[in-house]
Amino acid sequence: MSEILRTGRAIKLQVCDDDTLGRLAARTVERLVAEKPDAVIGLATGSSPVPLYEALAENKPNLSDVRWFALDEYVGLPAGHPQSYAETIRREVCDPLGLDTARVHLPDVHRPDLAQAAADYENLIRGVGGVDLQVIGLGHNGHLAFNEPGTAFGSRTRVEALADRTRRANARFFPSLADVPTHCVTQGLATILDARRLLLIVRGADKAEILHRALTGPVSPNCPGSVLQLHPDVIAFADPEAAARLMPALAEVQG
Ligand code: GLP
């Protein structure tokens, strides 16, 4: 295992191909559930965690008592919209893993009072004792969930506007850029940091720069992903393309 050291904490970063990454990340989930069958697990959308979900679907561990919480959801899409995160998670996670959707929670973005819906979601997570393991990706601009650059580290679940860069990145899932929602409800950075363990998965050459910045750059709201350096228990996986900028740092540490 490769390791980089930052701000007195160790982030364990493992660089491997998609298959290995999926298998190892799945093992982290399976170990947790073996110890704590009713674990609370945070789900991320996006393409990066897909190998993890595929490996879990293949291994079929017993996940029937796990409680699941999504990081975020778009605001403004009709219920059942194929690109809503509720539908994405149903399609990419619940169906292949045979999860009961009643155990999978997302912010309720169809309530008239969204601020209250966000606060209720935060309380729901707290009410189950917090998240044991949060799966998380990293956006091109360093966002975590939908916490865009400039977000306070103390932020909690709330309604947010999406950055232009994020809307452009996610336009690939919609007929046109104009169809991409402008707002979302997202867990805050403090909510995410409350998770007892973070499982970061980052893939693709287009993430090399931002992954390097998040893990080795200054800890600053300019790069929300840099907040990971403050968490005591982060397991990170990257493919060789995403880890390309980190390789010299890894080589230095390994000496
Ligand atoms: C979206 C999600 C994030 C995710 C990011 C990166 O904007 N809200 O939670 O981490 O995309 O996704 P990908 O892994 O597809 O690059």
Side-chain angles (χ1 to χ4, degrees), residues 43-49 71-74 85 135-140 143-148 162 166 169-170 172-173 186 201-203 206-207:
L43 290 169
T45 47
S47 45
S48 300
L71 278 171
D72 44 15
E73 176 59 292
Y74 289 120
Y85 284 169
V135 178
I136 194 146
L138 182 69
H140 293 103
H143 74 215
L144 291 183
F146 275 134
N147 293 285
E148 304 285 17
L162 300 183
T166 301
N170 291 4
R172 66 191 196 275
F173 300 114
T186 180
I201 304 178
V202 185
R203 295 162 55 222
D206 52 334
K207 297 287 175 66

Side-chain angles (χ1 to χ4, degrees), residues 28 63 75 95 143 154 160 186 191 245:
T28 304
L63 301 170
V75 168
D95 288 354
H143 74 215
E160 252 319 333
T186 180
T191 319
R245 282 276 280 122

Side-chain angles (χ1 to χ4, degrees), residues 97-129:
L97 273 66
L99 305 184
D100 176 359
T101 49
R103 300 188 72 80
V104 182
H105 303 277
L106 289 102
D108 183 355
V109 290
H110 301 292
R111 278 168 54 184
D113 187 345
L114 281 178
Q116 190 57 51
D120 288 351
Y121 194 64
E122 179 85 26
N123 287 332
L124 192 64
I125 296 173
R126 212 168 278 161
V128 298

Side-chain angles (χ1 to χ4, degrees), residues 24-244:
L24 294 177
R27 201 180 290 165
T28 304
V29 171
E30 288 160 10
R31 277 205 194 115
L32 168 66
V33 177
E35 268 169 35
K36 187 177 178 186
D38 64 345
V40 177
I41 300 182
L43 290 169
T45 47
S47 45
S48 300
V50 167
L52 159 66
Y53 302 141
E54 285 176 351
L56 284 174
E58 209 173 298
N59 295 355
K60 294 229 176 317
N62 180 2
L63 301 170
S64 56
D65 290 330
V66 173
R67 291 150 304 166
W68 308 88
F69 285 84
L71 278 171
D72 44 15
E73 176 59 292
Y74 289 120
V75 168
L77 297 177
H81 189 288
Q83 293 310 326
S84 67
Y85 284 169
E87 273 303 294
T88 305
I89 286 175
R90 188 191 55 70
R91 202 171 49 237
E92 292 178 1
V93 188
C94 297
D95 288 354
L97 273 66
L99 305 184
D100 176 359
T101 49
R103 300 188 72 80
V104 182
H105 303 277
L106 289 102
D108 183 355
V109 290
H110 301 292
R111 278 168 54 184
D113 187 345
L114 281 178
Q116 190 57 51
D120 288 351
Y121 194 64
E122 179 85 26
N123 287 332
L124 192 64
I125 296 173
R126 212 168 278 161
V128 298
V131 172
D132 291 300
L133 179 70
Q134 177 65 59
V135 178
I136 194 146
L138 182 69
H140 293 103
N141 61 0
H143 74 215
L144 291 183
F146 275 134
N147 293 285
E148 304 285 17
T151 301
F153 285 175
S155 55
R156 294 282 165 186
T157 307
R158 68 200 184 285
V159 183
E160 252 319 333
L162 300 183
D164 285 345
R165 177 126 195 233
T166 301
R167 293 188 66 243
R168 284 200 303 274
N170 291 4
R172 66 191 196 275
F173 300 114
F174 292 86
S176 77
L177 180 59
D179 298 301
V180 182
T182 55
H183 287 77
C184 65
V185 171
T186 180
Q187 287 190 29
L189 291 175
T191 319
I192 293 168
L193 281 196
D194 279 348
R196 286 178 273 284
R197 172 173 265 191
L198 299 176
L199 177 55
L200 173 73
I201 304 178
V202 185
R203 295 162 55 222
D206 52 334
K207 297 287 175 66
E209 205 53 52
I210 198 66
L211 181 62
H212 179 257
R213 210 175 133 201
L215 298 191
T216 68
V219 177
S220 151
N222 293 335
C223 177
S226 66
V227 82
L228 295 166
Q229 296 180 38
L230 301 178
H231 194 284
D233 190 359
V234 181
I235 300 181
F237 290 98
D239 64 10
E241 291 78 14

